[in-house]
Amino acid sequence: MRCSFLSTLLLALLSLSKSSFSQVCEDQTQDSKTIVVDQSGQGQFTTVQQAIDSVPAENSIWTHILVKPGIYKEKVMIPGNKPCIVLVGNSASDTVIEWGDGGIVNQSATFTLYAENFKARNILFKNTYNEMTQRGDGSSIKPASAFQITTDKVSFYQCGFISVQDTLTDFQGRHYFDSCYIEGAVDFIWGNGQSIYKGCKINATTDILGGSPGYITAQGRDSATDNGGYIFDQCSVVGNGPIYLGRAYRQYSRVVFNKADLSNVVVPEGWDPWKYAGQEGTITYAENQCTGPGVDMSKRVEWEKTLSDEELRQLTDANIFINQDGWLQKQPF
């Protein structure tokens, strides 16, 4: 299913986001536009998609979409020709965008982003599709993304992402997650993004799998020169059932947990090579200065990497790994 997803998604990228990579947003000190979304009718629009639709094509002005508290039951998409959007809620506890679609991973996301230079703050993105599945052996669970990112220069602050399988499709581009909450059971952070997760809470809800372990990451780096990778810096891992830190979605999969707090839900082996058993030498999975009852390394897979201080710096320093051109500082508050 995922092989066909990759080819389908790449075609979608060509058609929906080819113009976005040439877009430059005006400096954040310049005049910007603000749109208010309010279900009660006190804003310009009552749905998030209506507000996005109002943004002109080839937008180059930072546009703030302020979403008032409420549960917005809608499926949202930002096309590639609408960059420079800042989506702001009140808090992830009272400002929610949710939908319930699943089964076809590249079509199920509650929120799909094709436009670069996007920022979100204080919003919860949720896919409710698997909430109605019968809890037991997990056989009825289907891919159901809460958010799908297929583009560059994207950041999230104090946001939440909730689903069961494929919660966060971190597919392509440079991304920064600060103090976010991510919940799921199977491959719930997956793709080939080049991403730093800073101070995030990772909640493994694997009780839905009936005792079988789940997987936090399925990272898809596919060559030694590929810049992709997921870096978890000072994050915490909690949950209600066993979880692997990751399994290799592609042969050069790269995931690092740095100074993370790992609860006892982390399985002793830590990592799974998946379909690359016997080819683990190209996989980069590492833990550095982690704490908590889940850090016992005595039964970890023997092919887990030990990175040098310089290798860690190259990956954990945002300015080196994802922010070489200073795009994070150019995004407005």
Side-chain angles (χ1 to χ4, degrees):
M1 178 180 293
R2 286 204 175 143
C3 289
S4 62
F5 164 65
L6 288 173
S7 59
T8 302
L9 187 51
L10 285 171
L11 289 173
L13 281 168
L14 289 174
S15 62
L16 288 172
S17 60
K18 61 182 180 181
S19 64
S20 70
F21 290 96
S22 63
Q23 292 286 341
V24 176
C25 301
E26 297 294 335
D27 188 272
Q28 59 181 301
T29 60
Q30 301 297 315
D31 291 339
S32 61
K33 181 179 179 181
T34 299
I35 301 169
V36 177
V37 179
D38 190 336
Q39 289 179 325
S40 69
Q42 300 302 306
Q44 289 102 315
F45 300 100
T46 58
T47 73
V48 176
Q49 188 64 61
Q50 288 171 346
I52 290 167
D53 291 344
S54 75
V55 177
E58 310 305 331
N59 176 52
S60 63
I61 301 296
W62 282 110
T63 301
H64 292 72
I65 299 177
L66 304 183
V67 185
K68 296 297 185 179
I71 299 177
Y72 294 81
K73 295 187 177 183
E74 55 177 309
K75 198 170 183 177
V76 180
M77 188 272 286
I78 301 182
N81 63 358
K82 295 191 177 187
C84 313
I85 289 177
V86 182
L87 190 68
V88 182
N90 185 64
S91 77
S93 62
D94 64 15
T95 310
V96 183
I97 301 173
E98 71 172 45
W99 195 250
D101 193 6
I104 304 177
V105 68
N106 64 314
Q107 299 177 16
S108 67
T110 297
F111 200 112
T112 301
L113 175 65
Y114 293 107
E116 70 172 24
N117 269 314
F118 172 87
K119 181 176 183 177
R121 184 186 294 274
N122 298 333
I123 294 183
L124 174 65
F125 305 94
K126 186 177 183 180
N127 193 318
T128 62
Y129 178 83
N130 288 301
E131 285 187 353
M132 296 177 288
T133 62
Q134 183 177 358
R135 290 177 179 260
D137 62 2
S139 60
S140 58
I141 294 171
K142 298 290 189 296
S145 294
F147 206 109
Q148 177 177 297
I149 316 166
T150 62
T151 189
D152 194 36
K153 302 178 185 177
V154 178
S155 65
F156 300 88
Y157 298 81
Q158 297 88 46
C159 287
F161 307 86
I162 294 178
S163 186
V164 177
Q165 181 171 343
D166 298 352
T167 301
L168 180 55
T169 301
D170 186 353
F171 182 73
Q172 178 175 300
R174 294 172 296 168
H175 312 141
Y176 183 71
F177 300 80
D178 189 307
S179 305
C180 291
Y181 173 87
I182 308 163
E183 176 183 303
V186 180
D187 301 344
F188 60 97
I189 304 172
W190 83 281
N192 189 25
Q194 183 179 346
S195 304
I196 288 181
Y197 295 79
K198 179 81 169 183
C200 295
K201 183 175 182 178
I202 314 298
N203 186 15
T205 54
T206 53
D207 61 339
I208 197 172
L209 304 180
S212 298
Y215 307 88
I216 295 173
T217 64
Q219 206 281 327
R221 182 170 175 255
D222 59 12
S223 74
T225 58
D226 189 327
N227 292 327
Y230 298 158
I231 312 303
F232 296 89
D233 188 26
Q234 301 177 60
C235 296
S236 62
V237 174
V238 299
N240 56 24
I243 194 81
Y244 284 89
L245 296 173
R247 59 176 173 176
Y249 176 44
R250 287 288 183 265
Q251 192 167 345
Y252 289 81
S253 183
R254 179 163 62 181
V255 180
V256 177
F257 281 81
N258 181 59
K259 300 179 181 178
D261 183 56
L262 308 179
S263 75
N264 59 7
V265 299
V266 176
V267 300
E269 297 81 6
W271 309 92
D272 184 351
W274 203 1
K275 52 190 174 183
Y276 298 105
Q279 305 174 62
E280 296 92 346
T282 59
I283 299 170
T284 300
Y285 289 159
E287 300 165 66
N288 177 64
Q289 297 184 38
C290 294
T291 58
V295 300
D296 183 0
M297 303 296 289
S298 63
K299 295 183 180 179
R300 282 292 195 270
V301 294
E302 61 182 14
W303 44 270
E304 182 178 32
K305 295 288 194 299
T306 299
L307 302 180
S308 68
D309 289 345
E310 179 58 23
E311 288 172 323
L312 285 165
R313 189 178 75 87
Q314 293 289 324
L315 295 172
T316 59
D317 187 329
N319 289 325
I320 297 174
F321 187 56
I322 63 170
N323 191 43
Q324 308 91 331
D325 51 357
W327 65 271
L328 276 169
Q329 288 81 9
K330 295 174 184 176
Q331 292 189 331
F333 181 76

